[in-house]
Structure formats: C-alpha cells, structure tokens
Amino acid sequence: MHDEPIDPFNGDPADPTAGLDDPGDDTTPDPLTDVERQDVLEDLADLEIYQALLAPIGVRGLVIECEDCREPHYFDWDLLRGNLRHLLNSGRPRVHEPAYDPDPDHYVTWDYARGYADGVHDTLTEGTEDDPDPGTATTAD
Ligand SMILES: [Zn+2]
C-alpha cells in the first residue's frame, strides 16, 4: 500500500522538507473530544475502584501493553491517576513513565482488574435479589 514515491531526502538532515510535517512541540494540542474525555473520566473512576479492591491484596498498579514499544509497562496507581489527569488537562498522553524496576508479580492488567471488580460486585449483590422461583431453571441433561 506504499504508493507514494520514496523521499530521496529521507533521513538526510539537510532535507529541505524536514520539519514541514512535524507539528513541533509549541503547537496547541487538540483538546479531547467529549467522548474521549468521558472515557478518561470513566477510567479514572474505575481506577479508584480497582485500587480500593486490589491494593489491599498487594497489587501495586496495572500493567499496560504499550502500543509504541510493544512491551508491557508497569504503572503504580498514583502514576496511572497522574497520567489520566494529565491527559484530561493537556489533551495528550504523557510520555510513558513506567514504574522504576517493577516487580511484575504486583501488577495486573485492566482486564484482570475489571474482572476482579465485577466478581466482587457479583458477590456483594448475590443473595440480595430474591429469585422468585428457582424451580423454573431447566437442567440441560
Ligand atoms: Zn512504551
């Protein structure tokens, strides 16, 4: 799918077109869309729940597969919260600042945290809803 001609100046520091495509650091970043903003806010809310549930059992944060490095990055709870707040305020994610020398045993994925939270939620709500007629459940023998 590479139809465009190869740039003969590609990689050449003297490239006269260098920087034309580079937005630079001083441009104002696009603000988050409402949907993106909502996503970040939901992530922040989830994070509070996950930390409350998982920190007491020794989980120090979340591991996130980095799309840039193709490597897992380990983020402490505080770091995650800081990154999400930064994203909210600036409209762009922080350059990754993974935890220093993390112990992978103490980090879980978002999916794991979500599943854990769901499981706890189910346990807490179990028995609070009366099943009107358990006898109607069919067995699939
Ligand atoms: Zn990375």
Side-chain angles (χ1 to χ4, degrees), residues 66 68-69 73 96:
C66 179
D68 294 334
C69 318
H73 288 332
H96 25 293

Side-chain angles (χ1 to χ4, degrees), residues 30-71:
D30 291 335
L32 296 178
T33 65
D34 285 349
V35 173
E36 288 168 335
R37 227 183 146 69
Q38 193 57 39
D39 277 351
V40 176
L41 287 170
E42 282 172 11
D43 281 352
L44 269 171
D46 285 344
L47 200 59
E48 296 293 333
I49 296 168
Y50 300 161
Q51 182 176 8
L53 291 175
L54 294 167
I57 62 170
V59 178
R60 292 177 193 161
L62 299 179
V63 54
I64 291 167
E65 191 74 25
C66 179
E67 290 175 16
D68 294 334
C69 318
R70 306 269 167 203
E71 280 180 18

